[in-house]
Amino acid sequence: MTFLPNPSDPRDVSEHTLFRFPPEIDFSNAGGLLDVIVAKGRPRDGRRARVLVLDLTATDFMDSQGVRLINDVRRLLRPGTLVYVVARPDSVAARVLELTGLRRDVPVYDNLPEAMAA
C-alpha cells in the first residue's frame, strides 16, 4: 500500500531527513544503527526533523531486530517527528513489516520520491 501525499498540506522538503539502511539489519548492527538514526533525527542546531525517512530499498535481509529498531526510533525521536519507511514491495523488508504489523503503524512507501514528497 502506498500513502499518497495530500496536495493541500503545506510541506517543506528541507524538513525531511533521510537515512539509508544497510543491506542487512540484524542483532549485530541494530544497536549501532539506532544511535546513528536518532542522532540524525535530532540535529544539533536546535531544529528538529519534521519527517525522518528510513530507506530500506537496499536492505536484502531484515529480521525482528529491524522492526524493533524502527519502533525504538519512533519512541526516541522528539514528539511531532514523523517516521516514514521506504521498502520495495517485493522485498524481504516489506514482508517483515507486513507480517509484524508495523506497516499499520508507520507509513510505508514503495519508492523514495513518494516518501520525500509526503
Side-chain angles (χ1 to χ4, degrees):
M1 173 189 299
T2 299
F3 293 87
L4 298 175
N6 183 344
S8 64
D9 285 345
R11 66 181 192 271
D12 179 1
V13 177
S14 67
E15 293 180 351
H16 285 58
T17 301
L18 174 64
F19 183 83
R20 295 181 193 273
F21 273 65
E24 295 185 9
I25 305 166
D26 57 22
F27 182 76
S28 68
N29 64 355
L33 288 171
L34 178 62
D35 296 335
V36 173
I37 296 168
V38 170
K40 196 163 190 169
R42 293 181 177 173
R44 293 187 182 177
D45 61 5
R47 296 180 322 142
R48 70 173 175 86
R50 190 178 69 79
V51 178
L52 178 62
V53 178
L54 305 176
D55 183 0
L56 296 164
T57 56
T59 302
D60 298 320
F61 176 80
M62 182 174 95
D63 61 12
S64 62
Q65 291 298 313
V67 173
R68 182 177 178 188
L69 173 62
I70 294 169
N71 272 326
D72 287 347
V73 166
R74 292 174 52 219
R75 181 178 52 84
L76 293 172
L77 289 177
R78 292 184 176 136
T81 302
L82 302 173
V83 176
Y84 296 162
V85 174
V86 180
R88 292 185 331 270
D90 60 342
S91 69
V92 170
R95 184 72 175 139
V96 169
L97 294 172
E98 183 178 331
L99 288 173
T100 60
L102 186 64
R103 195 173 181 104
R104 289 175 300 202
D105 300 330
V106 177
V108 178
Y109 295 87
D110 294 340
N111 61 62
L112 189 55
E114 285 180 0
M116 294 302 284

